[in-house]
Amino acid sequence: MVSDEQKVWRRLADAKVSRRVDSLTVTGSSVFADQEIEFGAFTVLCGLHGTGKSFLLRLLEELTCNYWSSDDSPPVVTEQPGRFVLRATSDGVPIVRAASFTEEVGTRWDPQVEIAPFAHILRPESMLRMHNIWIRSGDAIRHREDLYNFDSVEMKTTARDREGIVRILGLDYTDHRMWDTTWCDRSPIPLEKLRSSPACAEHMFVVEASRGGRAVQNKTMSYAELWVHHCLGAFRSPCSDDVLLIDEPERGLAARGQGPLVAELARLALANDVQAVLATNSRDILARVPPELIRVLTLTASGIRVVKPERDDQVALYRNERPELRGIVFVEDDEAAGFIDALLAILAPGLIATSEIVAVGGATAAARIVKDLSKIRRVGIAAVLDADQQGKTTSSDGRTLCLPGLAGPESELLSACVDRVDELSTLLGKSQAEVEMVFDQIRFLPHNKWIPFAADSLAVPQHVLRRAMLCSWLADPVKRAEADDFVVRLQTALLGER
């Protein structure tokens, strides 16, 4: 059964926010390689330290800056040479803005003054700087020193919003109220213009609640409490920015709250039609986000490149991490283990990267081990028996499967290649006569010696030979359909509903 969170991720993968940044093209940069970086409705940037995550967020913020007037000096995008072209969409209207920087002329902008959408970075340091100077006095919000022109609007929170805070912080509030305060520190601006000028106005959220029988507000809340309210409030603000950029949302937050935080941010982004771009190195956050929403920043010889991974294990690979073990498959013998390894390498490489295949010495042993370990929940457990065991063993929980085909794995591979020796010889880079001679000698050996003998005789690794033979086996449409069905059932047994 698909959970509500999984439904949110699936919808975000295809969502088109009405006001969004679509892509950023970089050329001639001393930081990034020449490339086009695409952004979705919800994009998570990750990468090792020094790979430009925060720098990329600053580029998006400055390239979408709305000038207060045509006479204002535009911001300096970067002091690193390069040309940047941002493509955005505002209510169906495509928008393009370009800027370039050279040491001789500084930043050169295109003639366009106004642009939408407007992107803004949420930074913990700016939130902490302001947390103690906005207070609630009586029934009104005011600045402690009355320095700024500001407007304040109370935000409505739902039961679902409060549930999300509990899951993230582990704190249950009562009498929870929150205000969105919009203020300006550049020049006096009439109140009626504050909420229509995002480039000149900043948001601060004032919170008041009861926790454990004690009243709490901004100046008595912890760092994590303030930061979580600040992030969540930005998505629900009546004056929310079009694109929210969040740098390291996990800062100050316990590990067990980081996954629920990104799940709640995703829900609010979808519900409020707000695009979000996050930069993080949190494993708990990355484990929660589907790979199609992740962009990995990696350093190459030509500069930093932003890579779009296709599978969970690729995110770990790009970050130089060992993929998390998520499943264990028990099989009859080494030949079955080699068959499954080659099959998954072709049809489900992400699954093989996060699973361990263990040969236990027979069908009875494999089925018994899975039955004994049926209560394990931290990793998926499955037994895969040879195809000739079909009908002999049953499993009500779907954890005991049989390989596709009718015979043992080595017999299946050999029978498929007898009539395709020419194709196999091409894949292996050997002559057809050489392959035929080896196959002729195999018939004098026990079946478990077929693949090792052939690989040794042809001077190729066993995994290379198995994969080539499996390609011939999969060329049969019936076998391919059986293999696809097997992979789906194995994935369900190990990982549950995906």
Side-chain angles (χ1 to χ4, degrees), residues 19-183:
R19 292 161 68 88
R20 64 185 185 270
V21 171
D22 294 306
S23 67
L24 174 66
T25 301
V26 183
T27 54
S29 171
S30 59
V31 177
F32 289 100
D34 291 356
Q35 62 192 299
E36 182 178 11
I37 305 168
E38 297 180 350
F39 300 92
F42 197 94
T43 303
V44 177
L45 308 175
C46 73
L48 300 177
H49 294 296
T51 51
K53 299 185 297 296
S54 298
F55 181 57
L56 182 55
L57 293 185
R58 290 199 303 271
L59 280 176
L60 293 178
E61 183 179 46
E62 293 191 353
L63 285 166
T64 60
C65 179
N66 280 321
Y67 310 147
W68 177 240
S69 71
S70 58
D71 297 329
D72 278 356
S73 298
V76 174
V77 175
T78 174
E79 294 186 358
Q80 301 294 332
R83 176 171 175 79
F84 311 94
V85 179
L86 181 130
R87 289 174 173 80
T89 300
S90 179
D91 298 322
V93 179
I95 299 169
V96 179
R97 167 172 277 184
S100 58
F101 184 88
T102 61
E103 294 181 357
E104 292 76 18
V105 299
T107 301
R108 185 188 301 277
W109 289 83
D110 65 1
Q112 184 175 349
V113 175
E114 295 295 335
I115 186 171
F118 169 76
H120 177 63
I121 300 179
L122 301 184
R123 297 181 175 91
E125 51 270 22
S126 62
M127 178 270 300
L128 288 175
R129 176 171 56 87
M130 297 301 301
H131 86 276
N132 198 29
I133 57 179
W134 294 102
I135 60 176
R136 184 166 180 255
S137 177
D139 292 329
I141 303 296
R142 71 177 185 86
H143 188 270
R144 288 173 63 91
E145 300 174 2
D146 296 326
L147 293 178
Y148 303 110
N149 195 17
F150 67 93
D151 188 18
S152 185
V153 175
E154 182 171 0
M155 302 169 61
K156 302 299 181 183
T157 59
T158 66
R160 179 64 184 81
D161 296 331
R162 293 188 289 272
E163 289 173 6
I165 293 177
V166 171
R167 280 195 290 270
I168 297 166
L169 295 172
L171 301 173
D172 193 3
Y173 299 98
T174 57
D175 303 322
H176 186 274
R177 300 179 68 185
M178 191 169 178
W179 292 265
D180 175 20
T181 300
T182 310
W183 58 281

Side-chain angles (χ1 to χ4, degrees), residues 329-342 357-363 384 386 403 408-410 413 447-452 462-463 466:
V329 182
F330 297 98
V331 298
E332 295 188 29
D333 51 32
D334 290 336
E335 287 305 310
F339 182 93
I340 294 178
D341 188 87
I357 303 173
V358 182
V360 296
V384 176
D386 289 355
L403 286 171
E410 60 275 21
L413 293 181
H447 65 87
N448 61 330
K449 300 293 185 180
W450 291 352
I451 302 296
Q462 290 188 36
H463 73 275
R466 280 196 185 90

